[in-house]
Amino acid sequence: MRRLLHIAVYLVFRINLQFYLLWILLLDKLVPAHRMARMATPPRWWRPYRRLTVAQIRKAVRRSLRNPRHMKRRFCLRFGLSLYHFLRLAGRDAVVHFSLAAPTFDPKRLHGHCWVSLNGKPVADPPKPETKSKILWQFPVDSADIIN
């Protein structure tokens, strides 16, 4: 019975993930990133995916974004916001970070990056040290786990 419940929760999670990814596509056109992060934060009392592990959530989000048709250059934004949202729904105290780095190829174009951390440790895709990126902001703002 317990295994069946876990499978049902995981299936609902996967369906919710697909709808959430479509929602991010829409929001990307309408609102700035800091407002998207605020909208991605569910209430603290709502934890429907608390039985899922961090690895399960990360793997499902990455698999869902494996072959993007939209937002190809902003993969980290979709991945970071989705991972942040579902880790919060699992009851984890995730923090989403946004940084800016100097251009690598085109001198007129800055490079932005988004990643998620738990307890000060990156969950996936932190910025590479050689990019010398600067953290612009993180959400929730009151969090103290800034990664240098």
Side-chain angles (χ1 to χ4, degrees):
M1 185 68 176
R2 185 174 273 233
R3 173 118 173 103
L4 189 61
L5 179 64
H6 186 72
I7 291 170
V9 167
Y10 188 73
L11 287 174
V12 169
F13 161 69
R14 291 299 305 258
I15 292 168
N16 190 357
L17 175 61
Q18 294 305 315
F19 281 112
Y20 187 78
L21 292 174
L22 291 172
W23 186 65
I24 286 180
L25 281 176
L26 178 66
L27 285 182
D28 183 51
K29 305 288 183 202
L30 301 174
V31 297
H34 68 278
R35 191 162 296 152
M36 285 173 66
R38 196 168 290 124
M39 294 170 83
T41 307
R44 299 289 284 151
W45 54 267
W46 193 38
R47 301 179 317 158
Y49 306 125
R50 64 186 169 274
R51 295 170 191 223
L52 298 179
T53 65
V54 173
Q56 285 177 313
I57 294 170
R58 181 179 51 227
K59 184 178 178 183
V61 172
R62 189 171 295 279
R63 190 179 325 145
S64 295
L65 292 171
R66 187 173 35 211
N67 298 316
R69 293 184 192 136
H70 305 285
M71 290 179 70
K72 289 181 184 180
R73 285 195 38 84
R74 290 175 295 207
F75 171 81
C76 64
L77 180 64
R78 282 182 79 189
F79 181 68
L81 286 174
S82 302
L83 188 60
Y84 168 74
H85 177 73
F86 287 103
L87 285 173
R88 285 292 193 153
L89 285 176
R92 309 304 194 292
D93 288 327
V95 178
V96 64
H97 304 269
F98 295 87
S99 68
L100 200 59
T104 51
F105 300 113
D106 185 3
K108 297 177 186 170
R109 188 176 210 165
L110 292 174
H111 177 73
H113 188 59
C114 173
W115 76 97
V116 177
S117 67
L118 279 174
N119 302 324
K121 295 182 177 126
V123 177
D125 302 335
K128 296 178 177 94
E130 62 269 11
T131 60
K132 297 178 183 167
S133 61
K134 298 286 183 188
I135 295 177
L136 293 178
W137 58 278
Q138 65 183 19
F139 196 82
V141 178
D142 59 350
S143 176
D145 66 340
I146 291 192
I147 300 171
N148 290 324

